[in-house]
Amino acid sequence: MTSSQTTDPNVTGIGTSRQRPDAVAKARGEFEYATDLLEKDMLWGATRRSPHPYARIKKVNLNRAKEMPGVHAVLGAWDVPDNRFGAINNDQPVLVDDYARYVGEPIAIVAAEDPELARRAANAIEIEYEPLVPIIDPLDALAKGKIHRHVKYSFGDPTVVGEIQVEGEYFTARQDHSFMAPDAGMARPDGHGGVEIIGATQWVHADRFQIAASLGLPEEKVLVVNSGVGGAFGGRVSMTWQIHGALLAMHTNRPVKFLYSRKEAFHARYHRHPSRIWIRHHATKEGKLLKVEAKVLYEGGPYSHTSAAGIGNGCTLIQGPYNIPNADIEGWAVATNNGMCGPLRGFGVLQGVFACESNLDKLARKLNMDPAKLRAVNAIKRGDQWIFRQIQDRPTPVQEIIEKCSAMPLPPDLPSDEGKIHPVHLPGGIASPTGKKYIKRGIGFTSAVKNVCLSEGAPVNATAMITLRDGAAVIECAAAEVGQGFVTIACQIVQTVLGISEVRIERVDTSMPAAATTDGSQQTVTSGTAVQVAAQTLKERFLKFVAREHNLDVNTLDMKDNFVIDKTGKKFTSIAEAGMGLIFRATEKFSQRNTRPIDDMESNDPVHVTLGFSANRCVVDVDTELGLVKVVQMDVVQDVGRVVNPVQAHGQIEGGAVQGMGLGLMEHLKAEDGHLLNPDWRGYHIPTIVDAPTINSEFVSYPEPGYHFGWKGIAELPHVQAPASVLAALRNATGLELPMAPATPEYVANVLDDNEAMAMNVASGDKKRGPWKVPPPPPQTGPWVSDA
Amino acid sequence: MSTDERIDYTLKINGKPYKVENAFYSENLLHVLRYRLGLTGTKYGCEHGQCGACTVHIDGKAVCSCMELAACAVGCEITTIEGYNNQDGTLNRLQESFVKHAALQCGYCTPGFIMSAAKFIEENPNCTEDQVREGMDGNLCRCTGYNRIIEAIKEAAEVRK
Ligand code: FES
Ligand code: FES
């Protein structure tokens, strides 16, 4: 596919790179984000948090804080009408009442006239703790039965043994979302006994449901408004300050603003599940895959959050985009006290794909086979069965993607004259101590699969309402815009269906019917489809009206270029005039096909709504002494269905690939004894403009059945496979196994030095090699409540 | 000075005087701009000098406003994105280039990038990609992967013949 690589405010409709509707405001700094909200008479909120990973709360005394001048409210757990909430299960306290189970867990909240006063008052709260021994090692959690979910299934003949077998144990670290705008927002009383929450979220309706429940209010008394969202990447699926803000606003009858510091955001929010996966592939001598076996261990936080869905994703898509006739899979999401874990772009799948791809690298080496060829030979095809008992019933261009990606041009070598190399191209970047003679180039190749939409029985649907008046349309659809560009494509869809150019989308709040959550790459295919269906219904209504008014046959009419046209394309009258000043409106709901939990053996529904595929070839330069790495280039080919906005699609791939490269090379949120060691951007590094490689992305585009325009969700795949690809390239350059992401310089250097103790220094966990022994899981899963 | 001390002072921002009253001496310029003066175009990202979202110009230099004590900026010429913007609501060449190249998604890093890049291209007309990477290293973006930001800055830095 060729596509213009720049945007244009004047192009309209599906397939064009229309400029984002918010681009001008954003470039001028006038777009309002949740952090920017200010209000007359507002108070500032602050949160007192647990300094212990696990402790019994013996006493909380708010009085000293309450007496401070300028302090308007100080609240503890007993002030919360229903003190349990959660992303899926209500198992998490709004404010700690009995036990604090991670460092940073909120215990009490304050509203004061000034942010500094609020902080000081929060510090003045007296809390007595009885520190308890935390669980910090996921293997320990497993042995103790602290299990959120246990998955076990097999496929085909699990006793099959291949001529060739390779196995390994692979690890991925705790990754932070590090979106640019920290958690913030405003809660204000609505003057009629209810409350309004204006913040940044991926799903206003899920927030409203939980806020109302915790406050003991009917849902209609809570209005959740999405203001500008400064990035999300899965990190705004569950709430942080919102219920606290609502409580304080109700108590003080004043607007209350929350604004987390970066460090507070690191502690208050969840992160990507660290993983430890043992995997064994069986294959023929020719490289045909026969069986996959895996033990998958995800470290979840102390509360269930979304861990069950994450381990489900990992235990299914560890298959990779390959046809494998036999499988034996077992996995656990366990509870530790190292902080909360939850969705991050590529939720649960990234870890499985990392293990799968890393082990296939090993297989390719063992067979002395080109890694791209090994993958192409095993590429899953339409009609094949997934190991989780689902027919691959939609376009499956895996082999094509792999071949296309391998054929993309490679970057030139570093110039042989050292003086000609700009320092930004060196491993280690500007001021790097490296020298050309230490630098080795490596190339890695991976392919990947990701589920599009939430899976395993989660309902996925959206409602959209469109209003047409005087030839211009307004869309109301509660799908959260977090930067991904739904606001652009929703307008493009309506432009195409109604044949008009002027379309606008309203700001999102809970007075609208619910749309899908911005999650699982599902917004285009779900809320986008709802918008398309609503526009289609609106078009039929409008043309029926025009036909009646003018005594015409409705079947001869269409809408194009802002005109009502007849069959021959002749312009009849402008759409603006034909509407005669009246308002035309349509509301439609779209639901994705049903899915079933992995272990539901009765239903024949699929586990995943649909699946997307991609390939990534990564080129790195490595300083083989110091372990410094420069990712030179990433070439990505992705199955994207029908593209709505090519530049936005490329943008998703580029951004996702660099974020994934972050986990491949540097992003490692470390925990020691339950305390985060590097909870800010001084210690937790995300890729900079120097680190970012050149990214070339190309599309493979087959219309996806089930959607009128054949689109497909794309946003997560580039992130999912980048860590595996970076590591594959590093292995190629160094000849080392490197089983862990990220491959930080210290890690690579230590492996190079054969320093095994350092080499396996994963955040939590020991050096035991899998498959490890585990006791049978207890009948009761879910977060534990200590019996201490 | 003690951390409790509150003071009044006047800052010169975008050519106009702004009175700051009863502020803690310890407040940084970013906080004062955003929450005392309502100039929220300058963004709050980390408050420890790592992300560049808070970039403003002080006496013609691009600096992280979170790293400056507001009370120490008295007497300086401070320019924020609000003052840098074309006052008729249009985009200037650099901003237009960002929009055209889709160098923004969530856009939260954008005002900081614009303020840094404005100084950078002033000093590096006709810059190369390598120079952009080196010179713009103080600004983080989590959404775009930077490729389009580099394109945008390079194009804006081209000196028209
Ligand atoms: S907010 Fe100033 S550098 Fe991040
Ligand atoms: S566009 Fe979101 S951080 Fe740069």
Side-chain angles (χ1 to χ4, degrees), chain A residues 681, chain B residues 30 43-55 64-67 138:
Chain A
W681 286 338
Chain B
L30 172 65
K43 297 303 174 200
Y44 166 103
C46 65
E47 254 189 335
H48 52 256
Q50 297 293 311
C51 73
C54 63
T55 305
C64 292
S65 60
C66 70
M67 301 304 280

Side-chain angles (χ1 to χ4, degrees), chain A residues 577-588:
Chain A
E577 268 171 46
M580 298 172 68
L582 298 173
I583 292 173
F584 300 83
R585 185 169 281 162
T587 308
E588 292 283 359

Side-chain angles (χ1 to χ4, degrees), chain A residues 115-134:
Chain A
E116 183 59 29
L117 286 178
R119 268 194 296 273
R120 290 178 188 197
N123 284 337
I125 295 167
E126 293 165 335
I127 306 177
E128 271 178 47
Y129 304 93
E130 179 191 332
L132 301 166
V133 179

Side-chain angles (χ1 to χ4, degrees), chain A residues 26 33 178-181 229-231 233 482-483, chain B residues 103-110 113 140-146 149:
Chain A
K26 283 176 172 176
Y33 296 89
S178 282
F179 40 66
M180 290 293 289
V229 182
F233 316 118
V482 300
Chain B
L104 55 89
Q105 289 180 21
C106 85
Y108 199 75
C109 67
T110 312
F113 261 102
L140 293 177
C141 172
R142 192 57 158 166
C143 298
T144 63
Y146 301 104
I149 292 178

